[in-house]
C-alpha cells in the first residue's frame, strides 16, 4: 500500500491535492458509488452514498426471489447458505471483520434504537445492578432508549455525565455504561479500550454505540474487551436509508446474555413452533422477528464494497482527508466566527470535522444550495463527514472553497 | 357489485368455476400481480405475491431518492408530505381503512414481534396488572415475546388457555389478553367484538394479532372496541418479505399509552435533539428508530393495490374461494386420511383452509413440486391460504386436482 505523505510536507494548493489523490490506494473505490456529479457529499455519516450495484441486487430480490420463488426463498439454497433464513447471518459475517468481531458474536436486523434496548437490557441483567450511565451529550435516541427501559423497569436510574469526564463517574453501583465511540456532534473519539478497562474495574458492563465508527475505520471490539455494541448500517456502511442495524455480544457472554425481545427468528429452531422460547446458540438469538429482506439485501450487497479494502489504508485516508480539511479551513477560522470542535489529535478523531458557528443553520442551508452537503446539528454545529471510500482530497478543496464563498457572502450581507 | 351465487346452486365442474370467475368483481386485480405462470399460489398468508409496480418504486427510491437526493430525501417534499420522515405516517394512513382505524391510531415499522412487545408492555401498564393471558396455540413468536417481557419484568405471569375456551379464563387478575384473530394453523377466526367485550368486563386490555386478518377481509378494530393490535405487512398486505409491521392503539388510550421502546423517530420533535424523551402525539410515538426505507417503500407501493378494492367484495370472494375449496376437497376427505380443521361457519373462518394429514410434510413437499404451493405446519397440518386479490375459482379447481393426484400417488405407493 502506498503511504500518503504527512500533511506538513504539502503546500495545500490545487495541484498538491491532486498529488495526494494520485497516491491514494483507495481512489478506485469512488467508481463503485453512484453520486451526483455536482455535489461534494460530506454527509455519509448521516446517510452513506449508493453503491452502484445495489439497485440490481434489489431488483433481483424483488422480481426473482420474491416474485418468482415466493415463499420458497426462505429456505431455497439453504445448503449453499443462500436462503433468506440465513441472510442475517451472512450479513453478520461480512460485518464482523469491520468491527473486530467473530461472526457468531454479531446479529443484524432491527433499528439501532431497538438494538440498543436489547443490549442495554442484557447488560443490566448481566451486571445485576440498576444504574445506566451515559454521556449527557449522547445521541438522543440512546438516552431515550435508556429512559424507556428505566420507565418499564421502574427501579432503574439513568445517570449522565460529560463524555470527557466519564471515567470519573464509573462507580460500583453502575451496571451498564452506554457510550457512543465517536460523538455525533463533535466527532470526538473515545478510547474504547481504556474506558472499557476502567469500566470493568468497577464491574460495569459496556455497551458501545458504533454509529459513527463502523465502516469509517477498523473497530476492534475484541481487542478492546467490549461487552456489547450496537451500530447502524446506513452511515459509513452505505447500506441504504434506515438500513438494518447490528448488535455485538462478546463471545464470553454468549452463554448468559439474555434476550428480552425474544422472537421466533432468534429461536434455536424457528420451524419447530415450540411454545417455549429457547435461544439460538450465537448472537442470532438477538434477531427477533422476520427481517425486512429488501433492506437487509441492500445492506448485504453494500458491504461487498469493503471486500478488498485494507482497513489501515481506510483510516489513513480518513485522517488525511480530515487533516487536509482542517488545514484548509484554518484561515477561515481567523476571518469568521468558526470554532473547530473536533480534536486535532488523531487518536481522538473519528471521520468527521465539526465547527461551531453562530449562524450554523443558515450557513449549512446555503452550502447545501451550492452542492456542498454536510449537516447542521442543533444548536450551532456545522458537521462534515468524510467517507474515505468515495471522497478525494480535491473534493475537500472544493468543499472549503464553497464554505469560504458562503461565509464571505454572509459577511458581505452583514457589512 | 355483482353478487356471487351461493355455492349450493352450483355443480362444481370446470365450467361452473369459470362461471364464478366470470362474475368476480375482483378478477381484474390478478393482473396487478406478478406470479409465475405455472403455479397455484396458496401461500399468500405466509408471503403475499409481488404487486407488479413495486420493483419500479424500489428502483426509484434506490437510484433517485437515495442515490441522487441523498440525505435530502428525509425532508425533501415535506410540504407535500413526500419526505421519508413522514413515510411511516403515509403508510399508516393507507393501512388504517383496512383495519377500521384512524390514521393517527396506527404506527408502521419494525417487525410484528417487536410491535407485540411494545403493545403488550403498554397494555400491561394501562391495566396495572401482572398477568398476560394468551392462546396456548398462538403463533409462537407471540408467546415468546410475552415470555421475554415476563423475564424482563420478573413479576409477570404468562398464562395460556385454549382459544376456544378463552372467555372462561378472563379473570380480574389478567392485565393483557394477547390473541391472534385468525389461528395460523386452523384458520379459525375468533369473534373479536365479543371477546373484547368479555375482556373489558374484567378490566382486561386487549392486544389483537391481525397477522392473518389485515388485507384478507375488513377488520373493524374501532367497531370491536379493541385496545391494541399488531400485524404484519407481508402476508395479505403483499408488502414484501419481512415487510414492516404495524401497531394500532385506540384513540381513547393515546393520552396514556406508554412507549417503553422510545426512540428518536417517535419523539415529538426528532430534530430538536432534546435529552429527554417526549412522545409524539399520535401512534407515531410507537415508531422507534430510523425506518428501513426500502422495505417501507415497497409496502407503501403494495398498499396501493387496495385503493379501489371494495372490502365487502373481498370478503365475499374469500368465502367463495374457501367454500369452493372445501366443497371440492370433500370427496377426498372420504378417500384419504384428511381431516378438515377449519370451521365451516363463515363467521369463524379467516381466508385459509387447513387439513390434518398423518403424512402432511411429505404431501406438501410433493404438492409444491407440482406447483400447488401451500405450506406444512407442524405437526400434521396442510395449510392453504386464499388471497382474493389474485386467486380465481379455476385456481382452486387446479389446486384440488393437484392434491388429488398427490394423495392418489401416495396411496398407490402404500398399496
Amino acid at each position: 500500500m502506498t503511504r500518503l505523505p504527512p500533511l506538513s510536507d504539502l503546500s495545500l494548493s490545487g495541484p498538491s491535492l491532486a498529488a495526494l489523490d494520485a497516491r491514494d490506494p483507495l481512489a478506485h473505490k469512488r467508481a463503485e458509488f453512484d453520486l451526483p456529479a455536482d455535489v461534494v457529499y460530506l454527509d455519509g455519516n448521516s446517510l452513506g452514498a449508493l453503491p452502484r450495484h445495489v439497485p440490481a441486487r434489489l431488483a433481483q430480490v424483488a422480481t426473482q426471489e420474491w416474485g418468482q420463488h415466493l415463499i420458497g426463498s426462505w429456505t431455497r439454497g439453504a445448503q449453499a447458505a443462500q436462503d433468506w433464513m440465513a441472510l442475517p447471518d451472512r450479513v453478520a459475517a461480512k460485518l464482523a471483520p469491520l468491527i473486530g468481531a467473530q461472526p457468531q458474536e454479531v446479529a443484524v436486523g432491527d433499528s439501532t434504537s431497538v438494538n440498543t434496548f436489547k443490549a442495554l437490557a442484557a447488560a443490566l441483567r448481566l451486571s445485576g445492578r440498576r444504574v445506566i450511565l451515559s454521556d449527557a451529550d449522547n445521541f438522543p435516541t440512546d438516552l431515550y432508549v435508556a429512559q424507556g427501559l428505566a420507565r418499564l423497569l421502574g427501579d432503574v436510574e439513568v445517570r449522565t455525565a460529560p463524555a470527557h469526564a466519564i471515567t470519573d463517574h464509573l462507580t460500583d453501583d453502575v451496571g451498564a455504561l452506554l457510550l457512543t465511540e465517536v460523538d455525533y456532534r463533535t466527532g470526538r473519539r473515545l478510547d474504547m479500550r481504556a474506558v472499557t478497562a476502567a469500566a470493568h474495574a468497577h464491574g460495569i458492563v459496556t455497551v458501545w454505540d458504533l454509529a459513527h465508527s463502523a465502516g469509517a475505520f477498523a473497530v476492534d471490539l475484541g481487542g478492546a474487551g467490549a461487552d456489547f455494541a450496537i451500530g447502524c448500517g446506513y452511515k459509513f456502511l452505505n447500506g441504504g436509508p434506515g438500513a438494518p442495524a447490528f448488535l455485538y455480544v462478546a463471545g464470553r457472554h454468549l452463554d448468559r446474555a439474555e434476550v428480552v425481545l425474544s422472537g421466533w427468528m432468534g429461536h434455536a429452531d424457528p420451524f419447530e413452533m415450540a411454545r417455549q422460547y429457547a435461544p439460538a446458540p450465537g448472537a442470532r438469538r438477538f434477531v427477533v422477528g422476520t427481517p425486512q429482506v429488501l433492506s437487509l439485501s441492500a445492506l448485504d450487497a453494500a458491504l461487498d464494497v469493503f471486500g478488498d479494502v485494507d482497513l489501515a489504508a481506510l483510516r489513513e485516508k480518513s485522517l488525511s482527508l480530515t487533516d487536509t480539511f482542517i488545514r484548509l479551513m484554518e484561515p477561515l477560522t481567523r476571518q469568521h466566527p468558526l470554532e473547530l470542535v473536533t480534536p486535532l489529535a488523531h487518536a481522538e478523531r473519528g471521520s468527521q470535522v465539526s465547527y461551531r458557528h453562530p449562524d450554523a443553520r443558515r450557513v449549512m442551508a446555503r452550502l447545501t444550495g451550492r452542492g456542498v452537503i454536510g449537516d447542521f446539528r442543533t444548536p450551532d454545529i456545522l458537521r462534515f463527514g468524510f467517507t474515505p471510500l468515495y471522497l478525494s482530497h480535491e473534493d475537500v478543496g472544493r468543499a472549503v472553497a464553497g464554505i469560504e464563498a458562503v461565509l464571505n457572502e454572509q459577511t458581505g450581507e452583514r457589512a
Side-chain angles (χ1 to χ4, degrees), chain A:
Chain A
M1 174 196 115
T2 314
R3 289 239 143 217
L4 296 173
L7 199 71
S8 54
D9 291 359
L10 294 164
S11 76
L12 286 163
S13 58
S16 301
L17 297 174
L20 280 171
D21 288 335
R23 275 171 283 177
D24 171 11
L26 296 174
H28 66 288
K29 301 301 288 183
R30 169 69 180 80
E32 295 179 29
F33 290 86
D34 197 4
L35 274 162
D38 52 350
V39 307
V40 180
Y41 191 58
L42 304 181
D43 214 357
N45 54 340
S46 192
L47 173 62
L50 171 67
R52 270 187 209 286
H53 63 291
V54 166
R57 170 69 180 275
L58 268 177
Q60 204 271 336
V61 174
T63 61
Q64 296 303 308
E65 297 179 18
W66 173 14
Q68 294 301 302
H69 303 310
L70 292 156
I71 192 66
S73 291
W74 281 107
T75 50
R76 184 185 160 90
Q79 295 196 324
Q82 293 171 339
D83 52 321
W84 287 344
M85 283 302 288
L87 182 56
D89 307 325
R90 289 201 295 283
V91 181
K94 286 184 188 173
L95 187 55
L98 302 179
I99 57 173
Q102 298 301 312
Q104 71 276 14
E105 295 175 319
V106 182
V108 174
D110 293 325
S111 67
T112 314
S113 299
V114 169
N115 281 316
T116 304
F117 185 90
K118 300 177 205 169
L120 258 189
L124 261 193
R125 290 177 77 82
L126 268 182
S127 76
R129 301 177 186 171
R130 312 305 282 172
V131 175
I132 298 168
L133 175 65
S134 190
D135 170 14
D137 287 319
N138 205 342
F139 186 70
T141 213
D142 289 27
L143 299 176
Y144 301 162
V145 168
Q147 290 160 11
L149 182 61
R151 276 197 306 277
L152 179 62
L153 292 176
D155 61 348
V156 165
E157 177 194 347
V158 180
R159 196 177 290 169
T160 60
H164 67 266
I166 203 75
T167 49
D168 298 341
H169 294 79
L170 302 175
T171 48
D172 288 355
D173 61 339
V174 174
L177 175 65
L178 174 62
L179 289 175
T180 301
E181 188 188 14
V182 177
D183 184 277
Y184 79 104
R185 271 189 282 224
T186 65
R188 175 185 296 271
R189 181 179 176 181
L190 296 174
D191 184 336
M192 188 191 291
R193 182 191 294 262
V195 173
T196 298
H200 287 175
H202 292 274
I204 299 168
V205 181
T206 55
V207 180
W208 287 98
D209 183 339
L210 303 178
H212 294 272
S213 307
F217 49 79
V219 176
D220 186 10
L221 288 168
D227 302 290
F228 292 87
I230 42 90
C232 58
Y234 52 81
K235 296 179 187 286
F236 290 99
L237 296 173
N238 313 306
F246 64 88
L247 181 154
Y248 164 88
V249 50
R252 67 183 178 279
H253 294 317
L254 272 174
D255 57 342
R256 292 186 305 135
E258 266 201 70
V259 177
V260 298
L261 268 172
S262 42
W264 78 300
M265 281 280 168
H267 194 279
D269 185 354
F271 289 112
E272 184 197 356
M273 302 279 169
R275 290 180 183 177
Q276 193 64 39
Y277 178 74
R284 170 75 189 218
R285 75 186 65 167
F286 287 99
V287 176
V288 184
T290 307
Q292 299 188 24
V293 169
L294 296 168
S295 287
L296 187 55
S297 296
L299 173 61
D300 184 45
L303 288 175
D304 288 339
V305 168
F306 287 92
D308 65 349
V309 171
D310 174 345
L311 294 178
L314 188 79
R315 176 61 170 166
E316 194 174 359
K317 182 172 174 189
S318 163
L319 290 171
S320 178
L321 292 171
T322 53
D323 273 349
T324 302
F325 184 70
I326 292 169
R327 187 71 59 92
L328 291 176
M329 286 288 287
E330 210 278 325
L332 299 182
T333 62
R334 281 180 272 114
Q335 298 155 29
H336 300 280
L338 276 178
E339 179 200 347
L340 177 68
V341 295
T342 303
L344 286 173
H346 284 179
E348 295 175 24
R349 194 190 305 162
S351 200
Q352 75 174 64
V353 180
S354 299
Y355 295 87
R356 290 192 195 285
H357 186 284
D359 202 13
R361 187 190 292 267
R362 199 157 61 116
V363 169
M364 189 52 77
R366 287 186 168 189
L367 260 178
T368 300
R370 280 179 174 267
V372 177
I373 304 179
D375 50 22
F376 162 73
R377 280 294 173 260
T378 182
D380 59 358
I381 298 279
L382 296 167
R383 184 176 83 166
F384 303 97
F386 294 85
T387 300
L389 293 178
Y390 50 75
L391 289 172
S392 66
H393 296 82
E394 290 203 311
D395 286 332
V396 172
R398 277 196 293 276
V400 174
I403 295 167
E404 182 170 18
V406 165
L407 293 175
N408 287 341
E409 199 176 283
Q410 299 215 163
T411 305
E413 285 168 15
R414 272 199 306 273

